[in-house]
Amino acid sequence: MELLKKMILENGHIINENVLKVDSFINHQVSPSLMKEIGSEFYNYFKDNKITKIITIESSGIAPALMTAINFNVPMVILKKQTSSILNENVYQTNVKSFTKNTTYKLTLSKDYISKEDKILIIDDFLASGEAAKGAIKLIENAGAEVSGIGIIIEKSFQSGRKTLEDQGYRLYSLARIKSLQNNAIEFLD
Ligand code: 5GP
């Protein structure tokens, strides 16, 4: 997606060779025009998959997931990051290791907002090692629902996430694929 690549090159900050900061248009301040285009792009790619719900992870996935949900005209569900276990029969929970914070949180989904008939599109901001996506998949599959696709805004292709998810047979679409952040330069795959 050309607009996204342009914004990454102009406004992205390399924190180190593994982490890119995009706070001015995705993670802290959000660009509505970019999110609108992202929503259309994910819709066009996954529109034949009979998606019934968009699922994302709080908080940076919410803006792109909502724009995607508007295009599909389906609800968006936000997976919560809890710090402790919820002793409640009405939720699915799984542990996820945070890539950027080096902590573990409990990804949480209420049973009220998913059913085994659902075909889910997962949307998230970054793909690194795939832990967040794997956690989301686990909750969705625990509910008996189907993961029909995974849409990522920025994939760091030099990390293991894509391979992990593709090896498990999931359909993955990333809007920007970063080959390298080495030597203080952002290099795209294509
Ligand atoms: P994974 O679970 O795939 O290892 O990491 C994905 C999650 O970690 C994303 O939801 C995102 O919040 C965060 N993340 C991973 N890499 C980066 C990065 O380079 N920059 C930012 N801002 N977040 C990242």
Side-chain angles (χ1 to χ4, degrees):
M1 212 182 113
E2 288 315 308
L3 173 64
L4 174 62
K5 283 188 186 170
K6 185 169 175 283
M7 291 181 90
I8 292 172
L9 288 175
E10 286 175 4
N11 306 308
H13 291 285
I14 298 170
I15 302 296
N16 58 48
E17 59 185 36
N18 288 310
V19 178
L20 178 69
K21 197 167 173 180
V22 289
D23 272 11
S24 64
F25 57 107
I26 295 178
N27 289 140
H28 196 1
Q29 175 170 261
V30 178
S31 163
S33 53
L34 177 67
M35 291 304 150
K36 195 166 176 231
E37 209 173 304
I38 285 172
S40 308
E41 190 74 25
F42 282 139
Y43 174 74
N44 285 331
Y45 192 83
F46 291 107
K47 64 176 182 295
D48 298 326
N49 289 67
K50 299 191 169 64
I51 302 295
T52 63
K53 256 173 208 178
I54 309 297
I55 283 192
T56 190
I57 300 165
E58 67 175 353
S59 57
S60 298
I62 296 175
L66 182 62
M67 295 312 294
T68 308
I70 289 172
N71 280 278
F72 277 97
N73 196 24
V74 299
M76 174 195 62
V77 177
I78 303 161
L79 302 180
K80 308 270 193 179
K81 291 174 177 170
Q82 312 276 1
T83 48
S84 58
S85 295
I86 295 182
L87 299 172
N88 176 343
E89 298 268 290
N90 204 41
V91 296
Y92 298 107
Q93 267 194 332
T94 189
N95 284 329
V96 172
K97 197 163 164 282
S98 164
F99 182 86
T100 41
K101 299 195 180 96
N102 207 20
T103 52
T104 299
Y105 57 85
K106 291 186 184 296
L107 202 61
T108 305
L109 168 63
S110 166
K111 292 183 181 176
D112 290 342
Y113 305 125
I114 189 156
S115 76
K116 57 180 175 12
E117 286 76 36
D118 277 322
K119 290 179 180 296
I120 307 287
L121 173 59
I122 298 171
I123 299 289
D124 203 7
D125 59 341
F126 271 91
L127 179 65
S129 61
E131 287 301 307
K134 275 192 328 190
I137 289 167
K138 193 168 173 191
L139 299 185
I140 292 162
E141 292 184 347
N142 280 350
E146 177 186 305
V147 175
S148 302
I150 302 165
I152 297 290
I153 302 182
I154 303 173
E155 169 189 316
K156 289 177 292 173
S157 306
F158 55 91
Q159 290 164 347
S160 59
R162 172 174 282 272
K163 182 169 179 354
T164 301
L165 297 175
E166 283 187 339
D167 283 353
Q168 293 177 25
Y170 296 103
R171 188 159 178 235
L172 173 65
Y173 180 47
S174 306
L175 303 183
R177 300 182 68 191
I178 294 178
K179 186 176 170 187
S180 162
L181 293 173
Q182 284 181 355
N183 307 319
N184 212 27
I186 301 168
E187 208 186 322
F188 292 105
L189 248 193
D190 18 270

